[in-house]
Amino acid sequence: MLDTAAETAPDHRPAIVICAYDADEAGWDPVEDLSGEPWSPTGARTVAVPGGEPDALAEILIAHLGDPRCRGLLLIGRTRRSTTFRLQIRAENRSLDGVHRLTSVGPAIARATAPAADIVRALNEAGLSVDTSSDAEDDAGSYLLYRVLSSLPEGFDTPAVGLLRAPENEPDAEVQRAVKVAAEAMARHLAPLPRSRAS
């Protein structure tokens, strides 16, 4: 699923998918300059997935995480419940409209696997106010977080998956800065890929 066609040499860096799930969200632009290359943190590379219809987007994100070279996913969205950045650390088994359970066989709650304490610490050190929240919001972000987390196989080698929400009126430049800080914190926990995975 990862785009390797443009690579001229094997890239042994693990991939982190970054997805601003709302198709109208302009706060995260992975390409910083005219090179067309997406920004990447030290020790990892990013794969930008554009927002879209939640069911189709969930399948795309699950497929990315099914690739052993993909070691993380950072969902990006907005919150109407806070004036600070918010790291959502769990999602509930609810349908997209929030009316009923998404699945009768899935767990009631799925916990995010991203290194929450390190992300919060890094954001605070960067001068960005952030809190963690166990409360799911009734939107595509909570739905996607649950769908992705509940699809992960049990095991030691679980990818880092998290959802970072920006305040509703946060300027795009601050959203970009927060996404980079969070991705860098995630990347610090990722080991280089074994050569068998990277080739």
Side-chain angles (χ1 to χ4, degrees), residues 38-104:
W39 169 87
S40 291
T42 301
R45 63 190 176 99
T46 57
V47 177
V49 172
E53 190 278 322
D55 281 319
L57 187 54
E59 294 301 323
I60 291 168
L61 297 173
I62 290 167
H64 273 290
L65 289 173
D67 186 323
R69 296 170 296 172
C70 183
R71 303 305 308 137
L73 165 64
L74 183 60
L75 293 166
I76 309 300
R78 297 281 179 165
T79 179
R80 293 178 298 281
R81 297 184 182 176
S82 177
T83 57
T84 66
F85 285 91
R86 173 171 280 195
L87 187 65
Q88 186 171 319
I89 58 175
R90 71 177 196 168
E92 298 173 9
N93 182 350
R94 288 197 302 208
S95 58
L96 185 56
D97 60 12
V99 173
H100 55 272
R101 287 173 61 94
L102 177 63
T103 171
S104 60

Side-chain angles (χ1 to χ4, degrees), residues 168-185:
E168 197 169 23
N169 298 314
E170 192 72 15
D172 290 353
E174 289 299 275
V175 176
Q176 297 243 10
R177 192 160 72 93
V179 171
K180 290 178 180 180
V181 170
E184 286 167 349

Side-chain angles (χ1 to χ4, degrees), residues 1-9 11 13 15 17 36-38 45-49 64 67 69-70:
M1 191 73 193
L2 301 179
D3 182 11
T4 57
E7 296 175 355
T8 57
D11 192 333
R13 297 175 299 165
V17 170
E37 291 296 316
R45 63 190 176 99
T46 57
V47 177
V49 172
H64 273 290
D67 186 323
R69 296 170 296 172
C70 183

Side-chain angles (χ1 to χ4, degrees), residues 113-155:
T113 55
D118 292 326
I119 292 172
V120 168
R121 186 180 309 110
L123 287 166
N124 284 332
E125 288 174 356
L128 297 163
S129 297
V130 61
D131 58 35
T132 58
S133 176
S134 295
D135 294 331
E137 300 193 22
D138 294 327
D139 68 357
S142 295
Y143 173 82
L144 289 167
L145 185 62
Y146 183 86
R147 282 279 310 269
V148 170
L149 289 170
S150 64
S151 76
L152 296 176
E154 297 283 340

